Amino acid sequence: MTDTGRMGPFCRIALPRPVFQSFAYRVPPALADAARPGVRVRVPFGKRHEIGVIEELTSEAPGRKVKKILEVLDREPVLSPALLRLCRWTSEYYAAPPGLVFRAALPPGLLGDSRPAGTEELKRQVIEIAGEPLTLLERDRTFGRAKRQREAFETLESVGGSATVSHMEGHYGYSRSVLAGLVDRGVARISMTTVTRDPFAGSGEDVVLPARLNERQEQVLAALTAQSLEPEPGVALLRGVTGSGKTVVYLRLIARALERGRSAIVLVPEIALTPQTVQRFRAAFGDDIAVLHSALSAGERHDAWRALRAGERRVVIGTRSAIFAPVPDPGVIILDEEHDGSYKQSDTPRYHARALAAVRGREEEALVVLGSATPSLESWHNAARGRYALLQLPDRATPNPLPAVEIVDLREVRNRALEAGEAPESIVSPPLREAVQARLERREQSILLLNRRGYSTFLQCPACGKVWSCRSCNVSLTFHRARARLVCHHCAREEPVPGSCNECGEAELQFTGVGTEQVERRVAELFPAARILRMDVDTTGGKGAHGRLLEKVRRREVDILLGTQMIAKGLDFPGVTLVGVINADVGLNLPDFRAAERTFQLLAQVAGRAGRGGVPGEVLVQTARPHHPALQAALQHDYETFAEAELADREPPGYPPHRRLVNLIVSGTSEERVAEAAESTAATARQIVERHALSDIQVVGPAPCPIDRIRSRWRWHLLLKSPGARDLGALIRYLARHHGQPAGGMRLEIDRDPEALL
Ligand code: ADP
Ligand code: ZN
């Protein structure tokens, strides 16, 4: 062998299987040159062949006979050494199966899926939604009594706006004539190929970027630039109020990295919700930008990945998984809206893009910038303790200050109505109604937020008290009026709406709890002349729907935009001068330690949509808990006071950022066995803690999860709490290795640094 530095003849391979281990194989001499860390290989596994990634080469014999690699699939590694280390760190830190981490890091089709990428783009008949997404009222008008067509249309929406005709026929059972009916009504079209469009392609021309930074922005830019030139740049937290011009600072910072011959990674919570951010990046960097988002086809993702790896595009903007983007030598990594929960993946590997950004930054000597108006308490705490640099933009960059926020006390509204002998109005209170009316008269736009979809959230029998809940999950069903169905928001199971109570026969059932559909209806009644647009998961299922709907708002074809949290993020519409929060208490009442933080963030974010143009903005928040600290702080735009109070509140129960948390969830179909398995996992954890004197780790539980059954699986959990990170890691890796797969179809999920404990 000429290459003396090479190890061998064994290697460890990560296979995309749900087990916390990699597998030993032998490298035959013929493949010795090609087999390098980071290349994909084909190996025998059981009776089949599988594709995996070489993690490392080793001269150490595994101590038993191992099989040989059959084939090396790549000439160049699909993962650079830095990305390989990032993947291994992710697997270790989260105790996640290494092969699943590698799969998450690569474009679809490269791993664990033996079809070459792009074959699903084969020619075949595809039915696709055409035209504008339909509002509730438009649906009623379009479909009239053609119920089956409406169902087919909504099925199509729910699968992302397009599907093959054979899938619609075979899987969902819609006949050709029903599908043809959709085409006749002009709401869908049928074509011979999959139509893949980037809804944001080509836009960006009409975006005007400010020519000069203001003084504060210049200072922040100078500080960030200096930090990025340090040998170990580390992490900077940029707290800037909504509209302070954080994006403009990012653009300059990236331009400087490019000038130095480096590249950049920008993460955003959800591409579809932040089209304007993407447009500004396009305007600034043109063809140097690659956009990675979930609406891309596998082929498109693969193309973007290849262009980035080849250095043809040097700036990537994408959602959480773009932290693995193969850009060579990133100089800056930016997480915009760093507090957003979508940066945490909710299934295995349950990584947080913010944690990975810090690790990748260290590996690549890149500066990591975390930007937010309302930083996560974790990041705020890290900045306070000097682990992150802290930079602030306290004022808006535009002429208008932050909007005035006022509270509408729903209890008072109710009492006043009752005194006057009127029916109380809880959806649009009199002050909110007046404020909207004034906007309509002045031809300004309003945004109304309610973070709960559907028509009403409970169906109850007033006679016997029965609440309709999901048969598979322990949650109540939401009534969706457009679909005329009860729907489970956890497993998507649907049921017809009963005409009477099946327990006691009562005919008058009660619908309670307001959702966005009902708000839409009420607003349409109150303001019959207004042009209303609802945006929530139910109206934005089609491909590119977000972009099209938001474009309507931008063109001022909409007077009132209403919807869930998806309308709260990153939008910059100068015509919006009023924001109304229909019920701020929705999120406050969740049994989760982040409930207050999430509510504060949401209020601050949605309030930030008002008054971004020439006219000052106004925000009205309806609530029955006006004295809650999260609301009071939002009223004053006072992040720091909120953070201080919330940090103090979390100290006694030992929640993050004071303690590190791991949530261990045991699930299975038998309640009894799940409880037993949870008890035994807890006992093991306690034993290890004792035996190894890991006295810092506290094992709490087990107990049933707040939602104790989802998709017919019972769920119990236990919490590990610790002030430090290291022992916690060792403990969960032990559990993953030895208790990763409890018997009897049960599952153990390990959720390190959980975003929620539901
Ligand atoms: P953020 O990302 O902090 O919410 P943006 O970067 O979106 O803020 O900026 C908010 C608005 O202010 C945008 O319309 C932007 O064009 C404008 N803006 C930002 N910086 C400046 C500046 N230096 N001069 C003029 N306008 C600016
Ligand atoms: Zn369900």
Side-chain angles (χ1 to χ4, degrees):
M1 277 250 288
T2 46
D3 190 349
T4 47
R6 183 155 294 164
M7 306 249 272
F10 299 101
C11 64
R12 299 210 57 87
I13 292 180
L15 294 173
R17 319 196 116 251
V19 288
F20 182 60
Q21 67 170 101
S22 46
F23 297 86
Y25 283 86
R26 171 188 292 278
V27 182
L31 297 179
D33 280 336
R36 290 185 281 156
V39 297
R40 290 176 307 145
V41 292
R42 198 157 56 84
V43 296
F45 190 89
K47 290 203 175 89
R48 340 177 352 183
H49 292 172
E50 289 226 12
I51 292 176
V53 174
I54 298 187
E55 274 192 59
E56 58 176 359
L57 300 168
T58 156
S59 50
E60 222 172 288
R64 65 197 148 82
K65 202 167 158 355
V66 295
K67 292 180 181 163
K68 278 187 305 209
I69 293 175
L70 300 173
E71 190 186 355
V72 174
L73 300 177
D74 301 300
R75 233 194 279 229
E76 290 300 319
V78 289
L79 291 159
S80 66
L83 281 173
L84 209 50
R85 287 195 295 273
L86 178 65
C87 286
R88 293 184 56 168
W89 182 90
T90 304
S91 167
E92 292 276 300
Y93 182 82
Y94 293 99
L100 298 187
V101 174
F102 283 95
R103 185 159 72 185
L106 291 168
L110 278 196
L111 198 57
D113 186 348
S114 50
R115 283 176 305 153
T119 45
E120 73 271 32
E121 311 281 309
L122 290 179
K123 279 202 167 189
R124 57 202 168 169
Q125 254 194 337
V126 162
I127 179 161
E128 188 200 21
I129 290 179
E132 303 286 323
L134 302 178
T135 64
L136 200 60
L137 296 175
E138 286 166 347
R139 271 160 219 249
D140 290 343
R141 244 179 273 135
T142 306
F143 294 103
R145 293 209 269 158
K147 251 183 87 185
R148 195 71 186 143
Q149 287 187 19
R150 181 170 180 157
E151 270 176 42
F153 180 78
E154 283 166 357
T155 303
L156 200 52
E157 280 185 328
S158 69
V159 298
S162 67
T164 58
V165 170
S166 63
H167 191 66
M168 291 295 282
E169 288 177 335
H171 188 78
Y172 293 111
Y174 296 111
S175 68
R176 264 301 152 127
S177 66
V178 166
L179 298 181
L182 297 184
V183 177
D184 291 343
R185 285 178 204 274
V187 297
R189 63 171 157 258
I190 292 181
S191 60
M192 275 312 291
T193 49
T194 28
V195 185
T196 50
R197 275 173 314 180
D198 180 349
F200 309 112
S203 51
E205 293 101 47
D206 56 347
V207 177
V208 185
L209 298 171
R212 304 175 48 136
L213 297 188
N214 61 37
E215 205 175 316
R216 284 303 287 243
Q217 290 170 329
E218 283 291 0
Q219 287 166 2
V220 168
L221 179 64
L224 291 174
T225 307
Q227 193 178 346
S228 74
L229 295 174
E230 287 169 16
E232 288 175 23
V235 181
L237 175 62
L238 171 55
R239 189 178 93 79
V241 299
T242 54
S244 58
K246 295 184 289 295
T247 312
V248 180
V249 173
Y250 303 151
L251 293 174
R252 299 284 169 113
L253 189 64
I254 292 171
R256 293 191 174 176
L258 296 182
E259 280 162 22
R260 294 198 305 274
R262 306 189 71 180
S263 53
I265 299 173
V266 182
L267 303 186
V268 292
E270 241 175 292
I271 295 276
L273 304 185
T274 44
Q276 290 171 320
T277 308
V278 177
Q279 282 165 10
R280 283 197 257 169
F281 276 83
R282 273 238 164 77
F285 301 113
D287 280 347
D288 239 348
I289 288 276
V291 183
L292 287 177
H293 57 87
S294 57
L296 294 180
S297 69
E300 287 168 322
R301 269 167 177 259
H302 196 264
D303 286 349
W305 181 80
R306 201 201 45 73
L308 287 166
R309 189 159 80 125
E312 291 162 18
R313 294 175 180 229
R314 296 180 299 163
V315 182
V316 60
I317 178 164
T319 44
R320 127 187 115 229
S321 67
I323 193 58
F324 294 109
V327 290
D329 192 25
V332 44
I333 301 174
I334 292 165
L335 263 86
D336 193 24
E337 311 286 2
E338 67 91 31
H339 62 274
D340 198 279
S342 72
Y343 284 125
K344 181 89 191 311
Q345 178 145 305
S346 57
D347 45 21
T348 311
R350 295 164 169 264
Y351 67 89
H352 200 300
R354 186 172 55 222
L356 271 60
V359 173
R360 186 156 186 197
R362 206 165 59 213
E363 288 288 341
E364 312 245 25
E365 290 166 25
L367 172 68
V368 177
V369 181
L370 309 177
S372 175
T374 52
S376 61
L377 289 180
E378 283 86 344
S379 295
W380 187 246
H381 195 60
N382 277 330
R385 307 214 306 184
R387 291 195 195 138
Y388 297 171
L390 177 63
L391 298 160
Q392 308 225 44
L393 288 171
D395 303 307
R396 277 194 164 175
T398 46
N400 282 306
L402 288 168
V405 182
E406 273 164 59
I407 279 189
V408 178
D409 186 339
L410 289 173
R411 299 166 310 175
E412 267 174 34
V413 169
R414 188 183 149 82
N415 288 340
R416 219 169 287 149
L418 293 178
E419 276 164 23
E422 293 162 7
E425 163 77 52
S426 63
I427 301 181
V428 183
S429 66
L432 182 56
R433 181 174 176 172
E434 258 169 52
V436 172
Q437 188 60 42
R439 293 327 182 276
L440 291 173
E441 281 159 17
R442 296 207 296 261
R443 307 225 138 264
E444 294 166 10
Q445 294 169 299
S446 304
I447 284 182
L448 299 180
L449 171 88
L450 178 63
N451 204 14
R452 201 154 61 179
R453 62 198 182 87
Y455 191 85
S456 51
T457 43
F458 278 107
L459 175 59
Q460 191 170 25
C461 171
C464 73
K466 175 191 162 103
V467 172
W468 271 257
S469 53
C470 178
R471 255 178 287 163
S472 315
C473 314
N474 199 358
V475 296
S476 60
L477 293 169
T478 300
F479 171 51
H480 282 247
R481 193 160 174 273
R483 274 183 267 172
R485 284 275 207 282
L486 298 175
V487 181
C488 172
H489 286 179
H490 281 272
C491 73
R493 173 197 277 280
E494 298 193 5
E495 283 181 20
V497 184
S500 60
C501 181
N502 55 347
E503 311 246 312
C504 74
E506 170 66 41
E508 287 283 308
L509 300 178
Q510 223 168 35
F511 293 87
T512 48
V514 174
T516 45
E517 267 189 349
Q518 195 169 157
V519 176
E520 179 181 20
R521 182 161 181 225
R522 186 69 187 129
V523 169
E525 280 168 8
L526 291 174
F527 311 105
R531 295 164 303 171
I532 300 164
L533 180 72
R534 186 180 111 228
M535 276 184 82
D536 54 31
V537 173
D538 303 303
T539 65
T540 53
K543 192 170 183 180
H546 288 100
R548 272 173 300 187
L549 293 178
L550 292 176
E551 185 56 23
K552 276 184 143 182
V553 182
R554 196 184 66 81
R555 290 200 305 256
R556 299 229 185 179
E557 292 165 17
V558 171
D559 301 312
I560 302 172
L561 170 65
L562 71 93
T564 51
Q565 43 132 13
M566 71 167 62
I567 61 171
K569 300 188 184 181
L571 304 178
D572 189 4
F573 296 121
V576 175
T577 61
L578 173 70
V579 165
V581 177
I582 301 294
N583 189 339
D585 311 342
V586 167
L588 274 183
N589 300 329
L590 290 176
D592 191 82
F593 73 96
R594 285 189 215 271
E597 183 182 6
R598 291 272 174 255
T599 300
F600 177 79
Q601 287 162 347
L602 183 61
L603 291 177
Q605 232 170 17
V606 72
R609 302 308 116 216
R612 296 172 76 98
V615 185
E618 182 187 359
V619 181
L620 290 182
V621 178
Q622 303 190 141
T623 173
R625 301 175 69 181
H627 301 295
H628 194 286
L631 298 190
Q632 285 297 323
L635 211 61
Q636 309 292 335
H637 301 288
D638 189 353
Y639 171 79
E640 297 197 19
T641 302
F642 171 73
E644 202 179 305
E646 182 66 15
L647 282 171
D649 273 0
R650 291 197 195 167
E651 183 99 56
Y655 280 128
H658 307 292
R659 292 276 184 287
R660 304 299 200 102
L661 277 193
V662 178
N663 193 18
L664 298 168
I665 304 157
V666 180
S667 69
T669 48
S670 149
E671 186 176 16
E672 218 181 319
R673 298 186 54 188
V674 166
E676 276 168 24
E679 295 285 359
S680 113
T681 308
T684 308
R686 289 199 170 96
Q687 261 169 27
I688 296 172
V689 166
E690 212 161 294
R691 195 180 318 143
H692 298 276
L694 312 175
S695 49
D696 277 350
I697 299 181
Q698 210 187 329
V699 181
V700 185
C705 294
I707 301 176
D708 66 1
R709 201 164 54 105
I710 294 181
R711 292 175 196 270
S712 303
R713 295 179 77 86
W714 293 93
R715 307 168 74 237
W716 278 57
H717 71 151
L718 53 138
L719 280 181
L720 308 177
K721 291 183 178 179
S722 169
R726 187 137 43 83
D727 288 346
L728 212 47
L731 175 55
I732 61 174
R733 284 188 287 277
Y734 177 89
L735 292 173
R737 233 169 248 130
H738 302 282
H739 295 260
Q741 289 170 305
M746 277 186 288
R747 271 201 290 265
L748 171 67
E749 289 168 71
I750 299 176
D751 189 3
R752 184 166 194 179
D753 304 334
E755 275 297 299
L757 300 177
L758 296 176

